[in-house]
Each structure stands twice: as C-alpha cells, then as structure tokens.
C-alpha cells in the first residue's frame, strides 16, 4: 500500500457518518507531492453533508494548493466507488487531468477524471 492509499484509509476512519454508517476517506496528492486528506461529514439535514473528496479539496485550497495529480478514495463498500457528480465537478475545477483510484479492503479501480466527467464545465465555458 502506498502513502496516498494509507492516508485515504486513515481519513476514512475519521469520517463522521452517524446516519448512513457509510464512511469514506480521500487523499489528494498536490502537484508538489503534499498529501491532503478529507472525509465525509454527514449532517442531520442530509443535503448539507460534504463528501470526502470535496472535504479534501477544501482543505487543500485552504492550505494554498490548487494543482493536483492523484486522488485515492477509500470506502468500506464491497466494490470501489466513484466520486459523485458534485465531487466530479469540483475536482474538474482544479484538475481535469486528475488520476482517480478507488480502493476497498479487497479491490481497487482506476479512472481518469475525464472518463468520469466527459465534457466537464470549466472556466472557459464562462467566456
């Protein structure tokens, strides 16, 4: 297991998921090799829940990082999960060429962000 996978699994253990019990951790590698983590944080008002991927992005941006290479998502699901639509769009804002890996305790899957979000909406669409 590499450092990014280890960090994602550790973040999963910190998830706050009292309603769904579905804990997810994410580890994002910045352009300079820094690893930033996030976890899902649920809320009794379900729509206010934040996913692990967006948690990691928000933390990274708060630390001054805006360029990313890889993302590892760790869950306890039976099969690897992919980022939700909101996470895909948020990741696209910063890293359309991002490599995404999803791991469980027994399996893994890899995608490019472009595979997960073809024709993503970006800054160039605003001009």
């Amino acid at each position: 297991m590499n450092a990014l996978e280890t960090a994602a699994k550790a973040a999963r253990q910190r998830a706050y998921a009292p309603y769904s019990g579905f804990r997810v951790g994410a580890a994002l590698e910045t352009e300079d090799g820094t690893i930033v983590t996030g976890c899902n944080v649920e809320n009794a008002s379900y729509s206010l829940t934040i996913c692990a991927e967006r948690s990691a992005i928000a933390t990274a941006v708060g630390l001054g990082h805006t360029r990313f290479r890889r993302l590892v998502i760790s869950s306890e699901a039976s099969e690897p999960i992919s980022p939700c639509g909101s996470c895909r769009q948020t990741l696209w804002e910063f890293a359309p060429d991002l490599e995404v890996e999803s791991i469980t305790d027994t399996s893994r899957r890899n995608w490019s962000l472009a595979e997960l979000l073809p024709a993503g909406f970006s800054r160039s669409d605003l001009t």
Side-chain angles (χ1 to χ4, degrees):
M1 186 174 318
N2 65 44
L4 207 55
E5 292 172 1
T6 300
K9 282 190 168 191
R12 180 180 83 193
Q13 297 306 312
R14 294 188 297 271
Y16 179 74
Y19 306 105
S20 71
F22 190 76
R23 298 180 305 163
V24 180
L28 189 62
E29 181 182 19
T30 69
E31 185 177 61
D32 69 4
T34 301
I35 295 175
V36 181
T37 63
C39 60
N40 58 316
V41 180
E42 294 182 348
N43 190 287
S45 175
Y46 296 134
S47 66
L48 295 178
T49 294
I50 186 166
C51 299
E53 300 92 329
R54 285 182 287 138
S55 173
I57 285 278
T59 299
V61 170
L63 292 171
H65 300 282
T66 57
R67 299 177 63 108
F68 310 105
R69 295 193 291 219
R70 294 185 310 147
L71 172 73
V72 172
I73 306 161
S74 173
S75 76
E76 297 169 328
S78 59
E79 296 293 325
I81 59 170
S82 66
C84 75
S86 293
C87 288
R88 292 174 191 198
Q89 181 58 50
T90 301
L91 292 164
W92 187 270
E93 176 73 19
F94 297 97
D97 296 321
L98 190 70
E99 297 172 33
V100 179
E101 180 176 8
S102 182
I103 61 172
T104 70
D105 291 337
T106 58
S107 61
R108 66 185 58 239
R109 183 145 183 218
N110 295 289
W111 303 273
S112 68
L113 185 56
E115 287 176 281
L116 294 172
L117 185 66
F121 186 80
S122 69
R123 177 181 307 207
S124 64
D125 294 310
L126 296 174
T127 57

